């Protein structure tokens, strides 16, 4: 934890060294992304180390007070334009009816929505009601991300999820019936007791529903989670089994017509998540709410996990440096454009790395075509080691 | 005998390791009031941390103590401490030669053990009066009568009225002091004869140069006189002589026959003052040196490299500093393709090697990579030439060799009878020639063997300990070089020989060892982006192979809510780790993994 939090008043002030983006971000410039964190859940999942907890009485209102105050830090004239909004959590759909409307009042007070703004809300099947879904629709939310993880009850139970597959199907058809036509389903592999066969079943069932986007994350045992505390009793798939699952999933999704556009993300053409792409493109975004991170006016900073007060920690290496750019770009199937790299950093990325790049190419871990370096499927899966070699 | 000599008692304390030698030395110091107890650091004679930690004494030291006996007379005790391990047998024998008597400490809970015997024999060889002391009688499991019986039956010296003490709690120490006065003979020797003084130790002091510890056997040693060290004939002028008191050096005018003291003479390195050498005067010196001097040669060699190549210079300085006080440590620069610049170091034995390594790491804050220890092989070439090989990489190719020889040790193992079977089996596996077996009493057996030093440094000692639940003790000394079928075993990663992993092995053992090490390499080399073949070879013949499969997974799945710092941190950590990696050809290995492969003795 960095001990010298940025004073809240300094946002966008006195950053003369970053004149261009500062001017832009005061309004009228290129639109940026906005992330909103709702740190409440019915119950914390066994693997979860996000900032979230079951709400106590009045927590929603107290939290909204905090959000209101934090929004005011970003008031500019003209307003900052946003072309992506992501309301994540926690479980945003846990908020009672009417809260989303209040939230959108805050947002439109401070920010200017672009015409084609991508507006995503994360929902949890156990918490969505028809009224809430209609509220989302009415507010202009045009993308829904549903956390499912698995279709198997034993795996859901193992993860500590509060919903069944049946709950998911209800939510899914409800959303479709209301006209939501950009739905993403979150799935997981590497779950204790999961097998390649059970993952295949999950994927086949979901592919049959034909969502526009699928995220598939490998389970990571994070410190301090319930899973970490009983690690020894978890029947986790071996590293090899996990790899097999990853390749199996990539293959199934590819055959079903999804493009593997980022290490953990698959989409129908044109349905890549614009908001997440901002992270990988090292574009700017503002994060509001507990533990939310921002990359704004050339500075990276993160809110602490304090729910009811805003404390910002500047993050070391705030500047988007070349390594960071490479690291993020190589997560994308679109890869690293050598031209773009040269434009940004004035140097040739390949210089001094020729031998290494050809070696990695020979090993089938990356391709060098059309002025772009792209990791292969296999390369994606050992991307940390490749980056360690390259950077 | 002069009046002065009558009041002197020169003695050592000898014991098996952990029987309480240093603790008894402390109590004797305390009781003689040479220093007040509160001022005394624990185990004053052992003035190095490391020795204390291991409960052994590496370098001999001596101290002069005053004792007022019950008969009302005042005596001077010269307590000469001895190193307590098999690697330092020669040094022990020279320390004993400086004495008239020895306290033989026997742990009442353990009885007589291998080094008890070995030390007792050394003392007997030096015609010392042996004064047994039974220690640790405060412990519940102490068997004083049993220990007495063993001393009488096994060593063959009377013990019916020997002191039974607890050095730890300070019980009956007076008895020991009185026995020293009554039982240990006063020194003899003519103060007016030609000078003969025995060097039993030396140490380097940055102000005084080398301080030489001597026992004057004949004649008188005076400050200002010119002396000659008889082994090499080198001459020096004595600057200072004196005695070693508990508080430090005490300058005197002279030292005469029977006395123990020190000399300084602008001597620059301890290598000039060989333990066991005789000091005489340059003019009218003695015709014959004292008996028993021999050159000490290293028995075990190992390559020592800094984990961080940039610290090569620091390593050299550290070795030079240690050598100032340890003439038995030898080293010369060597280069390894795998490990870079380092030194080939020679040691008296395995323990000596471990101590040096630990001191380098601890006192000089160095991270080391050491290659597997090797003994010195003798190879007669077809050309007729004979070469000594202390480095596996210098081992001649098979077609150049006429005969190769390896050092064979005379070893004594003492063990409780119930483990004899297991130890016999072990010895059979290790190319051991059984010589003799002797029952020391109804519960213990003394086994005599001849075994190659190569086997001892591999893992014999650990195997012995594990097969006897730690009860068996081992003592050994060089017997001779014998013809042997030796081959050099090489290891290849990705088709390239890793020189630092090569070693010399008895031919019949090569296959098993090769497989074991190949497996260990496989376990310890982290998966990389490519597959790594591991091969073991004798010459061009591959005798074992393994494969480290390519890494399949190393990915951070998600960047949470735009928090890219986690990923950056992870990558930075990985990059840090990578810096510490050692390149073995195209393969990266952590220093830990490298050491794990070289450490062959932990899972056999």
């Amino acid at each position: 934890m960095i001990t010298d939090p940025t004073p809240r008043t300094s946002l966008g002030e006195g950053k003369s060294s970053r004149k261009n983006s500062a001017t832009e971000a005061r309004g009228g410039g290129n639109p940026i992304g906005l992330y909103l964190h709702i740190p409440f859940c019915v119950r914390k999942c066994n693997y979860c180390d996000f900032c979230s907890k079951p709400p106590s009485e009045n927590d929603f209102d107290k939290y909204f007070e905090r959000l209101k105050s934090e929004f005011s830090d970003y008031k500019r004239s003209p307003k900052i334009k946003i072309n992506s909004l992501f309301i994540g959590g926690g479980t945003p759909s846990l908020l009672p009816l009417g809260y989303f409307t209040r939230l959108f009042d805050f947002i439109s007070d401070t920010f200017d929505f672009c015409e084609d703004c991508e507006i995503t809300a994360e929902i949890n099947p156990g918490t969505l009601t028809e009224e809430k879904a209609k509220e989302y629709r009415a507010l202009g939310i045009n993308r829904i991300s549903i956390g499912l993880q698995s279709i198997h009850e034993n795996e859901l139970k193992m993860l500590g999820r509060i919903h069944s597959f049946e709950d998911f199907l209800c939510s899914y058809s409800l959303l479709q019936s209301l006209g939501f036509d950009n739905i993403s389903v979150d799935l997981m592999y590497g779950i204790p007791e999961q097998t390649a066969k059970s993952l295949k079943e999950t994927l086949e069932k979901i592919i049959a529903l034909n969502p526009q986007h699928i995220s598939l994350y490998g389970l990571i045992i994070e410190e301090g989670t319930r899973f970490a505390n009983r690690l020894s009793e978890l029947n986790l798939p071996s590293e090899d089994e996990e790899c097999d699952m990853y390749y199996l999933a990539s293959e199934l999704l590819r055959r079903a017509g999804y493009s593997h556009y980022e290490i953990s993300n698959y989409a129908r053409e044109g349905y890549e998540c614009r908001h997440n792409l901002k992270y990988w493109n090292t574009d700017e975004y503002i994060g509001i709410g507990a533990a939310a991170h921002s990359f704004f006016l050339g500075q990276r900073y993160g809110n602490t996990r304090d729910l009811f007060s805003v404390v910002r920690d500047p993050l070391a290496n705030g500047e988007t440096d070349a390594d960071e750019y490479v690291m993020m770009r190589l997560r994308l199937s679109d890869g690293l454009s050598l031209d773009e790299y040269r434009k940004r950093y004035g140097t040739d990325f390949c210089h001094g790395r020729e031998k290494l790049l050809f070696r990695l190419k020979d090993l089938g871990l990356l391709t060098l075509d059309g002025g772009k370096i792209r990791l292969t499927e296999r390369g994606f899966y050992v991307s940390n080691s490749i980056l360690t070699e390259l950077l | 005998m002069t009046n002065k000599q009558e009041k002197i008692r020169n003695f050592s304390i000898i014991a098996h390791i952990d029987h309480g030698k240093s603790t008894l030395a402390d109590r004797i110091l305390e009781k003689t009031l040479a220093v007040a107890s509160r001022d005394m650091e624990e185990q004053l004679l052992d003035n190095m941390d490391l020795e204390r930690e291991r409960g052994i004494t590496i370098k001999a030291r001596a101290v002069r103590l005053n004792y007022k006996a019950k008969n009302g007379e005042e005596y001077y005790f010269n307590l000469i401490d001895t190193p307590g391990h098999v690697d330092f047998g020669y040094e022990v024998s020279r320390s004993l030669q400086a004495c008239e008597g020895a306290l033989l400490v026997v742990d009442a809970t353990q009885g007589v053990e291998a080094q008890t015997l070995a030390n007792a024999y050394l003392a007997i060889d030096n015609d010392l009066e042996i004064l047994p002391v039974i220690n640790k009688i405060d412990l519940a499991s102490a068997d004083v009568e049993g220990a007495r019986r063993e001393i009488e039956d096994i060593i063959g010296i009377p013990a019916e009225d020997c002191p039974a003490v607890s050095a730890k709690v300070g019980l009956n120490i007076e008895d020991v002091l009185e026995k020293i006065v009554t039982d240990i003979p006063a020194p003899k020797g003519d103060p007016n004869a030609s000078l003969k003084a025995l060097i039993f130790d030396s140490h380097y002091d940055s102000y005084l140069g080398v301080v030489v510890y001597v026992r004057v056997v004949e004649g008188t040693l005076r400050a200002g006189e010119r002396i000659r060290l008889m082994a090499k004939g080198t001459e020096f002028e004595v600057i200072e002589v004196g005695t070693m008191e508990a508080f430090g050096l005490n300058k005197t005018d002279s030292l005469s026959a029977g006395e123990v003291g020190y000399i300084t003479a602008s001597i620059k390195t301890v290598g000039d003052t060989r333990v066991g050498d005789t000091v005489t005067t340059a003019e009218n010196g003695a015709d014959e040196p004292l008996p028993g001097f021999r050159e000490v040669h290293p028995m075990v060699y190992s390559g020592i490299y800094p984990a961080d190549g940039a610290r090569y210079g620091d390593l050299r300085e550290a070795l030079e500093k240690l050598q100032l006080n340890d003439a038995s440590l030898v080293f010369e620069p060597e280069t390894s393709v795998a490990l870079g610049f380092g030194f080939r170091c020679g040691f008296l034995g395995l323990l000596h090697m471990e101590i040096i390594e630990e001191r380098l790491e601890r006192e000089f804050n160095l991270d080391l990579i050491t290659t597997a220890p090797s003994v010195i092989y003798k190879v007669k070439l077809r050309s007729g030439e004979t070469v000594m090989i202390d480095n596996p990489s210098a081992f001649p190719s098979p077609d150049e060799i006429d005969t190769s020889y390896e050092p064979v040790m005379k070893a004594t193992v003492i063990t409780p009878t119930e483990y004899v079977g297991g130890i016999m089996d072990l010895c059979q596996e290790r190319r051991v020639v059984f010589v003799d077996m002797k029952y020391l009493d109804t519960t213990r057996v003394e086994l005599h063997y001849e075994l190659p030093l190569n086997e001892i440094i591999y893992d014999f000692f650990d195997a012995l300990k594990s097969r006897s639940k730690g009860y068996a003790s081992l003592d050994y000394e060089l017997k001779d070089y014998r013809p042997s079928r030796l081959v050099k075993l090489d290891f290849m990663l990705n088709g390239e020989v890793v020189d630092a992993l090569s070693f010399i092995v008895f031919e019949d053992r090569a296959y098993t060892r090769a497989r074991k090490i190949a497996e260990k390499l496989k376990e310890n080399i982290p998966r990389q982006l490519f597959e790594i073949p591991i091969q073991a070879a004798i010459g061009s013949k591959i005798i074992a192979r393994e494969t480290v499969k390519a890494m399949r997974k190393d990915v951070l799945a998600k960047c949470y809510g735009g928090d890219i710092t986690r990923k950056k941190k992870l990558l930075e950590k990985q990059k840090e780790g990578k810096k510490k990696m050692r390149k073995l050809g195209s393969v990266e290995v952590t220093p830990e993994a490298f050491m794990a492969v070289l450490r062959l003795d932990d899972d056999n």
Side-chain angles (χ1 to χ4, degrees), chain A residues 262-277:
Chain A
E262 194 264 351
I263 289 180
S264 308
N265 288 285
Y266 302 80
R268 294 265 176 238
E269 205 187 324
Y271 286 95
E272 293 83 7
C273 175
R274 184 192 289 169
H275 185 80
N276 281 343
L277 279 169

Side-chain angles (χ1 to χ4, degrees), chain B residues 9 11 24 28 31-32 66-75 77 103 129 131-133 161-163 165 172-185:
Chain B
R9 297 292 181 274
F11 64 96
L24 180 62
I28 291 174
K31 284 284 173 192
T32 54
N66 300 338
Y67 176 64
K68 192 160 182 190
K70 287 187 177 146
N71 63 15
E73 299 283 336
E74 187 123 2
Y75 290 86
F77 287 176
L103 307 185
E129 178 70 29
L131 193 63
V133 176
D161 60 347
C162 77
V165 308
N172 299 340
I173 304 301
E174 293 275 349
D175 296 354
V176 178
L177 299 176
E178 283 300 312
K179 277 280 185 192
I180 292 168
V181 171
T182 55
D183 288 21
I184 293 180

Side-chain angles (χ1 to χ4, degrees), chain B residues 13-29:
Chain B
I13 308 178
I14 52 180
H16 187 76
I17 190 161
D18 286 338
H19 279 204
K21 186 179 77 165
S22 299
T23 320
L24 180 62
D26 281 352
R27 290 301 160 261
I28 291 174
L29 273 153

Side-chain angles (χ1 to χ4, degrees), chain A residues 2 23 34 85 110 141 151 154 190 245 268 296 310 319 326 329 336 364 371:
Chain A
I2 293 153
T23 318
L34 175 63
L85 165 63
T110 308
I141 290 172
I151 64 160
N154 67 321
M245 288 184 196
R268 294 265 176 238
F296 181 50
V310 183
E319 303 282 320
V326 173
R329 284 304 307 189
L336 174 72

Side-chain angles (χ1 to χ4, degrees), chain B residues 395 398 404 485-489 503-508 510 538:
Chain B
F395 202 73
S404 41
R485 286 180 291 121
L486 300 168
V487 292
K488 184 175 130 194
L489 195 54
F503 61 89
I504 295 160
V505 61
F506 183 64
E507 197 174 5
D508 301 0
I538 298 172

Side-chain angles (χ1 to χ4, degrees), chain A residues 50 217 222 240 242-244 264 279 285 293 300 315 317 323-324 327-328 331 359 363 380-385 388-389 391, chain B residues 494 527 529-530 551-568 570-572 574-575 578 586 588:
Chain A
F50 284 18
Y217 295 112
E222 302 280 3
D240 275 339
E242 224 185 302
C243 289
D244 292 342
S264 308
Y279 301 147
Y285 51 90
H293 281 68
R300 286 198 186 276
L315 302 174
N317 281 330
D323 285 359
E324 194 176 296
M327 174 178 112
M328 298 313 270
R331 291 186 71 87
R359 181 134 183 267
L363 290 167
F380 270 161
Y381 217 49
V382 290
S383 56
N384 283 353
S385 292
T388 316
E389 293 284 338
L391 303 178
Chain B
N494 244 357
R527 285 185 173 196
L529 290 170
F530 49 89
M551 168 202 296
R552 295 186 67 193
K553 181 192 168 209
D554 182 20
V555 62
L556 189 67
K558 194 171 180 178
C559 288
Y560 303 99
D563 178 5
I564 67 157
T565 48
R566 302 163 74 111
K567 187 165 167 73
K568 277 186 96 170
L570 186 82
L571 281 179
E572 261 149 38
Q574 282 192 333
K575 273 161 104 175
K578 204 174 151 68
S586 53
E588 285 181 329

